[in-house]
Amino acid sequence: MQSSNFNIKDSASCSIKSNRKQSEQITFKGYVKVVCTSSDGKIKWSDEGENLVVDDGINYILGTAILDSASLYVGLTTSTPSPAANWTMTNAQGIEAAGYDESNRVSWGQGAVAAKTVTNSSPATFTMNGTDLTIGGAFVTTDSTKDGTSGVLIALKAFTSGNKTVADNDVLSVTYTISAS
């Protein structure tokens, strides 16, 4: 019996590197059962057990789940959130920072999957307009609408050392990476 586990980790930065890492674990397991039946309908043999998810399979899952899905968008938070696994866009919307010049959340701009990792091809860039003077984190969602509650909240990262001060015309560059092992 073989099983394959891989971890999906996410991290976000906003021109600041974090020493603390948050990670979530997802275990992918399959179960295979093969039954050989003779022409007269009798079972000759059967075999069953857990399967192994290989590296190419993990790359494929990342590629289809991330790259083949609807576009993803990056948003910012006004305070340092304490996200929980059951959070949705309704939770993120309550703390979203919409004080930037861009008319919508910024496109994540997915890159290619390589070595069980996918990241945005270039940072999502926000030009601050002076409305929100503190930023506490960043998130990724399937909805581009500023302050919107639709779509799926993919991930949310609180800044490790709390809120950061921003001013009018400051530019925040956000890189988001998803990896599996």
Side-chain angles (χ1 to χ4, degrees), residues 10 17 32 35 41 75 82-83 89 104 107 115 125-126 129 132 144 150 157:
D10 59 355
K17 296 251 181 192
V32 178
V35 177
S82 298
M89 279 309 304
N104 291 305
S107 177
T125 304
F126 297 83
N129 68 14
D132 294 312
S144 66
S150 297
K157 169 68 172 129

Side-chain angles (χ1 to χ4, degrees), residues 2 15 42 121 126 142:
Q2 292 183 330
S15 299
K42 293 183 181 177
S121 54
F126 297 83
T142 59

